[in-house]
Amino acid sequence: MRVYQVPHHTFWLLTLGTFLAALPHLLMGPLWLRVLIPALVVARVLVQRGRLRMPGRLLRVLLLGAIVVGTVYTHGTIAGPEAGACLLVAAFALKLLEMFRLRDAYVLLVLGYFVLATTFLFYQGPLAAFYVLLVMMLLTAALIGINKPETHARPTAHVRLASVMLLQSLPVMLLLFVLVPRVGPLWALEIRQEGARTGMSDSMAPGEVSNLTQSAELAFRVEFEGEVPPPAERYWRGLTYSWFDGRRWSQAAPRHVPRDELVRFAQGSANTWYPGLSVAREQVPGPVYRYRVVQEPSRRPWLYALAVPFAEQRDIGLARDFRLLRDSDLEQRYAYTVTSYPLLKPAMLLPDWERDFNLSLPEAGNERSRALAESWFAEVDGEPRDY
């Protein structure tokens, strides 16, 4: 079969655009992907120069099968944002060795635009947007070039025309931004990282965290009105883990207890503990701290605050364990004002059902922990004591 020859004035635009579109995924992708993509690009260059033949159907099928196996081996699945992006990028680069017709070049360029969109799954910000626009310009220039088979065409002319086309599309983009209904962005999908990072999750299994890394991402900003609490009182509570099933810690949510009894919202019904706590805060001695928090989007309802917090917004609730949460997830930056009473903790009485729930343990498991607890219990003559 006669192989489609990309015009010489366009070939390097197409090759460079393909490699740069896949580059962000190489920086964070598995090792096999980092080796495969450059190898496929080099192979296509050798084919273009007549030093290598295009692979046959059997070899291409074997390469595609190896890509699927590598994706499953790395991610455990071919579904989900990470695995799907990895599979898409590898198949996109493999298309370089399947350009037998002009139609195949069109398919490669269209796939390139999709690969660029997946960049925002893992990178956000002005630099990422500028990079995507730059590569989009190269792919558009290549699209222009493959439609100009004449040999005297110049790649700089393709780049200029692609730049003009992108600039002309800006008014349409702004119009669509205003008129089209807003939906959740593609990059708001949950992304599983290679190693666990410090952060907030609704559950925690210590045995699963084998490679904990620090995250430098901003969580929230805070501005105090007046006195700043001493370091010993700057513990920012977001959520608590008080239920253990033998392997995983999670938030306490007894099924037999109504939600209004666990969390009190301003528009919610009355419960047994908030009225007394609200009265006690007017009488409690000691410092009172008032501050404003600007929290970054976390796609979780939990808010950061010092003990014991009272928020002014009606969409913020106070839980029994002295934490704040919204009635919906934080999808964008959110500001709220809080007044905290550190000495108000004793005003909250612990009912029997909550004490039993927090002290309950599974009947079996964690033998070493149980043995350690029994040894401590024996040191105090088998009598429980308060410390």
mmCIF file with all atom_site columns, all heavy atoms in Angstrom, residues 93-105:
data_model
loop_
_atom_site.group_PDB
_atom_site.id
_atom_site.type_symbol
_atom_site.label_atom_id
_atom_site.label_alt_id
_atom_site.label_comp_id
_atom_site.label_asym_id
_atom_site.label_entity_id
_atom_site.label_seq_id
_atom_site.pdbx_PDB_ins_code
_atom_site.Cartn_x
_atom_site.Cartn_y
_atom_site.Cartn_z
_atom_site.occupancy
_atom_site.B_iso_or_equiv
_atom_site.pdbx_formal_charge
_atom_site.auth_seq_id
_atom_site.auth_comp_id
_atom_site.auth_asym_id
_atom_site.auth_atom_id
_atom_site.pdbx_PDB_model_num
ATOM 1   N N   . ALA A 1 93  ? -0.519  8.699  19.587 1.00 0.00 ? 93  ALA A N   1
ATOM 2   C CA  . ALA A 1 93  ? 0.824   8.637  19.009 1.00 0.00 ? 93  ALA A CA  1
ATOM 3   C C   . ALA A 1 93  ? 0.967   7.446  18.068 1.00 0.00 ? 93  ALA A C   1
ATOM 4   O O   . ALA A 1 93  ? 1.682   7.525  17.054 1.00 0.00 ? 93  ALA A O   1
ATOM 5   C CB  . ALA A 1 93  ? 1.858   8.556  20.136 1.00 0.00 ? 93  ALA A CB  1
ATOM 6   N N   . LEU A 1 94  ? 0.298   6.339  18.384 1.00 0.00 ? 94  LEU A N   1
ATOM 7   C CA  . LEU A 1 94  ? 0.360   5.170  17.499 1.00 0.00 ? 94  LEU A CA  1
ATOM 8   C C   . LEU A 1 94  ? -0.233  5.469  16.125 1.00 0.00 ? 94  LEU A C   1
ATOM 9   O O   . LEU A 1 94  ? 0.155   4.860  15.124 1.00 0.00 ? 94  LEU A O   1
ATOM 10  C CB  . LEU A 1 94  ? -0.381  4.001  18.159 1.00 0.00 ? 94  LEU A CB  1
ATOM 11  C CG  . LEU A 1 94  ? -0.349  2.652  17.433 1.00 0.00 ? 94  LEU A CG  1
ATOM 12  C CD1 . LEU A 1 94  ? 1.086   2.166  17.260 1.00 0.00 ? 94  LEU A CD1 1
ATOM 13  C CD2 . LEU A 1 94  ? -1.168  1.620  18.188 1.00 0.00 ? 94  LEU A CD2 1
ATOM 14  N N   . LYS A 1 95  ? -1.147  6.427  16.081 1.00 0.00 ? 95  LYS A N   1
ATOM 15  C CA  . LYS A 1 95  ? -1.760  6.803  14.792 1.00 0.00 ? 95  LYS A CA  1
ATOM 16  C C   . LYS A 1 95  ? -0.721  7.362  13.825 1.00 0.00 ? 95  LYS A C   1
ATOM 17  O O   . LYS A 1 95  ? -0.949  7.364  12.607 1.00 0.00 ? 95  LYS A O   1
ATOM 18  C CB  . LYS A 1 95  ? -2.867  7.836  15.053 1.00 0.00 ? 95  LYS A CB  1
ATOM 19  C CG  . LYS A 1 95  ? -3.773  8.100  13.865 1.00 0.00 ? 95  LYS A CG  1
ATOM 20  C CD  . LYS A 1 95  ? -4.585  6.873  13.505 1.00 0.00 ? 95  LYS A CD  1
ATOM 21  C CE  . LYS A 1 95  ? -5.513  7.171  12.329 1.00 0.00 ? 95  LYS A CE  1
ATOM 22  N NZ  . LYS A 1 95  ? -6.268  5.963  11.905 1.00 0.00 ? 95  LYS A NZ  1
ATOM 23  N N   . LEU A 1 96  ? 0.422   7.824  14.347 1.00 0.00 ? 96  LEU A N   1
ATOM 24  C CA  . LEU A 1 96  ? 1.488   8.295  13.456 1.00 0.00 ? 96  LEU A CA  1
ATOM 25  C C   . LEU A 1 96  ? 1.950   7.206  12.498 1.00 0.00 ? 96  LEU A C   1
ATOM 26  O O   . LEU A 1 96  ? 2.366   7.495  11.365 1.00 0.00 ? 96  LEU A O   1
ATOM 27  C CB  . LEU A 1 96  ? 2.680   8.779  14.296 1.00 0.00 ? 96  LEU A CB  1
ATOM 28  C CG  . LEU A 1 96  ? 2.582   10.162 14.923 1.00 0.00 ? 96  LEU A CG  1
ATOM 29  C CD1 . LEU A 1 96  ? 3.733   10.370 15.898 1.00 0.00 ? 96  LEU A CD1 1
ATOM 30  C CD2 . LEU A 1 96  ? 2.575   11.249 13.865 1.00 0.00 ? 96  LEU A CD2 1
ATOM 31  N N   . LEU A 1 97  ? 1.905   5.957  12.945 1.00 0.00 ? 97  LEU A N   1
ATOM 32  C CA  . LEU A 1 97  ? 2.345   4.832  12.109 1.00 0.00 ? 97  LEU A CA  1
ATOM 33  C C   . LEU A 1 97  ? 1.184   4.192  11.365 1.00 0.00 ? 97  LEU A C   1
ATOM 34  O O   . LEU A 1 97  ? 1.277   3.053  10.908 1.00 0.00 ? 97  LEU A O   1
ATOM 35  C CB  . LEU A 1 97  ? 3.048   3.786  12.979 1.00 0.00 ? 97  LEU A CB  1
ATOM 36  C CG  . LEU A 1 97  ? 4.327   4.252  13.682 1.00 0.00 ? 97  LEU A CG  1
ATOM 37  C CD1 . LEU A 1 97  ? 4.964   3.114  14.455 1.00 0.00 ? 97  LEU A CD1 1
ATOM 38  C CD2 . LEU A 1 97  ? 5.308   4.822  12.668 1.00 0.00 ? 97  LEU A CD2 1
ATOM 39  N N   . GLU A 1 98  ? 0.079   4.908  11.246 1.00 0.00 ? 98  GLU A N   1
ATOM 40  C CA  . GLU A 1 98  ? -1.076  4.403  10.517 1.00 0.00 ? 98  GLU A CA  1
ATOM 41  C C   . GLU A 1 98  ? -1.606  5.444  9.542  1.00 0.00 ? 98  GLU A C   1
ATOM 42  O O   . GLU A 1 98  ? -2.768  5.429  9.162  1.00 0.00 ? 98  GLU A O   1
ATOM 43  C CB  . GLU A 1 98  ? -2.174  4.003  11.508 1.00 0.00 ? 98  GLU A CB  1
ATOM 44  C CG  . GLU A 1 98  ? -3.166  2.997  10.941 1.00 0.00 ? 98  GLU A CG  1
ATOM 45  C CD  . GLU A 1 98  ? -4.239  2.629  11.942 1.00 0.00 ? 98  GLU A CD  1
ATOM 46  O OE1 . GLU A 1 98  ? -4.468  3.412  12.890 1.00 0.00 ? 98  GLU A OE1 1
ATOM 47  O OE2 . GLU A 1 98  ? -4.846  1.560  11.791 1.00 0.00 ? 98  GLU A OE2 1
ATOM 48  N N   . MET A 1 99  ? -0.745  6.362  9.128  1.00 0.00 ? 99  MET A N   1
ATOM 49  C CA  . MET A 1 99  ? -1.162  7.399  8.178  1.00 0.00 ? 99  MET A CA  1
ATOM 50  C C   . MET A 1 99  ? -0.899  6.907  6.756  1.00 0.00 ? 99  MET A C   1
ATOM 51  O O   . MET A 1 99  ? 0.108   7.242  6.125  1.00 0.00 ? 99  MET A O   1
ATOM 52  C CB  . MET A 1 99  ? -0.418  8.714  8.450  1.00 0.00 ? 99  MET A CB  1
ATOM 53  C CG  . MET A 1 99  ? -0.947  9.472  9.631  1.00 0.00 ? 99  MET A CG  1
ATOM 54  S SD  . MET A 1 99  ? -0.413  11.196 9.667  1.00 0.00 ? 99  MET A SD  1
ATOM 55  C CE  . MET A 1 99  ? 1.359   11.034 9.770  1.00 0.00 ? 99  MET A CE  1
ATOM 56  N N   . PHE A 1 100 ? -1.814  6.073  6.290  1.00 0.00 ? 100 PHE A N   1
ATOM 57  C CA  . PHE A 1 100 ? -1.702  5.559  4.931  1.00 0.00 ? 100 PHE A CA  1
ATOM 58  C C   . PHE A 1 100 ? -2.442  6.440  3.928  1.00 0.00 ? 100 PHE A C   1
ATOM 59  O O   . PHE A 1 100 ? -2.205  6.365  2.735  1.00 0.00 ? 100 PHE A O   1
ATOM 60  C CB  . PHE A 1 100 ? -2.261  4.129  4.864  1.00 0.00 ? 100 PHE A CB  1
ATOM 61  C CG  . PHE A 1 100 ? -1.453  3.130  5.643  1.00 0.00 ? 100 PHE A CG  1
ATOM 62  C CD1 . PHE A 1 100 ? -1.846  2.746  6.915  1.00 0.00 ? 100 PHE A CD1 1
ATOM 63  C CD2 . PHE A 1 100 ? -0.283  2.593  5.126  1.00 0.00 ? 100 PHE A CD2 1
ATOM 64  C CE1 . PHE A 1 100 ? -1.112  1.830  7.635  1.00 0.00 ? 100 PHE A CE1 1
ATOM 65  C CE2 . PHE A 1 100 ? 0.460   1.684  5.834  1.00 0.00 ? 100 PHE A CE2 1
ATOM 66  C CZ  . PHE A 1 100 ? 0.046   1.293  7.102  1.00 0.00 ? 100 PHE A CZ  1
ATOM 67  N N   . ARG A 1 101 ? -3.389  7.250  4.447  1.00 0.00 ? 101 ARG A N   1
ATOM 68  C CA  . ARG A 1 101 ? -4.179  8.125  3.577  1.00 0.00 ? 101 ARG A CA  1
ATOM 69  C C   . ARG A 1 101 ? -4.275  9.510  4.216  1.00 0.00 ? 101 ARG A C   1
ATOM 70  O O   . ARG A 1 101 ? -3.978  9.686  5.412  1.00 0.00 ? 101 ARG A O   1
ATOM 71  C CB  . ARG A 1 101 ? -5.583  7.543  3.367  1.00 0.00 ? 101 ARG A CB  1
ATOM 72  C CG  . ARG A 1 101 ? -5.594  6.193  2.672  1.00 0.00 ? 101 ARG A CG  1
ATOM 73  C CD  . ARG A 1 101 ? -7.019  5.660  2.534  1.00 0.00 ? 101 ARG A CD  1
ATOM 74  N NE  . ARG A 1 101 ? -7.623  5.441  3.841  1.00 0.00 ? 101 ARG A NE  1
ATOM 75  C CZ  . ARG A 1 101 ? -7.486  4.309  4.533  1.00 0.00 ? 101 ARG A CZ  1
ATOM 76  N NH1 . ARG A 1 101 ? -6.743  3.321  4.039  1.00 0.00 ? 101 ARG A NH1 1
ATOM 77  N NH2 . ARG A 1 101 ? -8.077  4.169  5.698  1.00 0.00 ? 101 ARG A NH2 1
ATOM 78  N N   . LEU A 1 102 ? -4.716  10.467 3.424  1.00 0.00 ? 102 LEU A N   1
ATOM 79  C CA  . LEU A 1 102 ? -4.903  11.820 3.940  1.00 0.00 ? 102 LEU A CA  1
ATOM 80  C C   . LEU A 1 102 ? -5.925  11.824 5.076  1.00 0.00 ? 102 LEU A C   1
ATOM 81  O O   . LEU A 1 102 ? -5.792  12.581 6.044  1.00 0.00 ? 102 LEU A O   1
ATOM 82  C CB  . LEU A 1 102 ? -5.348  12.753 2.815  1.00 0.00 ? 102 LEU A CB  1
ATOM 83  C CG  . LEU A 1 102 ? -5.669  14.200 3.207  1.00 0.00 ? 102 LEU A CG  1
ATOM 84  C CD1 . LEU A 1 102 ? -4.449  14.884 3.800  1.00 0.00 ? 102 LEU A CD1 1
ATOM 85  C CD2 . LEU A 1 102 ? -6.186  14.974 1.998  1.00 0.00 ? 102 LEU A CD2 1
ATOM 86  N N   . ARG A 1 103 ? -6.924  10.953 4.965  1.00 0.00 ? 103 ARG A N   1
ATOM 87  C CA  . ARG A 1 103 ? -7.944  10.864 6.004  1.00 0.00 ? 103 ARG A CA  1
ATOM 88  C C   . ARG A 1 103 ? -7.314  10.523 7.369  1.00 0.00 ? 103 ARG A C   1
ATOM 89  O O   . ARG A 1 103 ? -7.761  11.002 8.405  1.00 0.00 ? 103 ARG A O   1
ATOM 90  C CB  . ARG A 1 103 ? -8.971  9.796  5.612  1.00 0.00 ? 103 ARG A CB  1
ATOM 91  C CG  . ARG A 1 103 ? -10.003 9.514  6.683  1.00 0.00 ? 103 ARG A CG  1
ATOM 92  C CD  . ARG A 1 103 ? -10.977 8.431  6.209  1.00 0.00 ? 103 ARG A CD  1
ATOM 93  N NE  . ARG A 1 103 ? -11.899 8.065  7.265  1.00 0.00 ? 103 ARG A NE  1
ATOM 94  C CZ  . ARG A 1 103 ? -11.635 7.159  8.207  1.00 0.00 ? 103 ARG A CZ  1
ATOM 95  N NH1 . ARG A 1 103 ? -10.454 6.529  8.202  1.00 0.00 ? 103 ARG A NH1 1
ATOM 96  N NH2 . ARG A 1 103 ? -12.533 6.878  9.130  1.00 0.00 ? 103 ARG A NH2 1
ATOM 97  N N   . ASP A 1 104 ? -6.287  9.673  7.364  1.00 0.00 ? 104 ASP A N   1
ATOM 98  C CA  . ASP A 1 104 ? -5.625  9.309  8.622  1.00 0.00 ? 104 ASP A CA  1
ATOM 99  C C   . ASP A 1 104 ? -4.944  10.515 9.255  1.00 0.00 ? 104 ASP A C   1
ATOM 100 O O   . ASP A 1 104 ? -4.887  10.626 10.485 1.00 0.00 ? 104 ASP A O   1
ATOM 101 C CB  . ASP A 1 104 ? -4.602  8.196  8.375  1.00 0.00 ? 104 ASP A CB  1
ATOM 102 C CG  . ASP A 1 104 ? -5.252  6.909  7.887  1.00 0.00 ? 104 ASP A CG  1
ATOM 103 O OD1 . ASP A 1 104 ? -6.369  6.609  8.370  1.00 0.00 ? 104 ASP A OD1 1
ATOM 104 O OD2 . ASP A 1 104 ? -4.663  6.231  7.034  1.00 0.00 ? 104 ASP A OD2 1
ATOM 105 N N   . ALA A 1 105 ? -4.420  11.404 8.450  1.00 0.00 ? 105 ALA A N   1
ATOM 106 C CA  . ALA A 1 105 ? -3.801  12.618 8.989  1.00 0.00 ? 105 ALA A CA  1
ATOM 107 C C   . ALA A 1 105 ? -4.856  13.507 9.649  1.00 0.00 ? 105 ALA A C   1
ATOM 108 O O   . ALA A 1 105 ? -4.618  14.107 10.701 1.00 0.00 ? 105 ALA A O   1
ATOM 109 C CB  . ALA A 1 105 ? -3.075  13.374 7.879  1.00 0.00 ? 105 ALA A CB  1
#
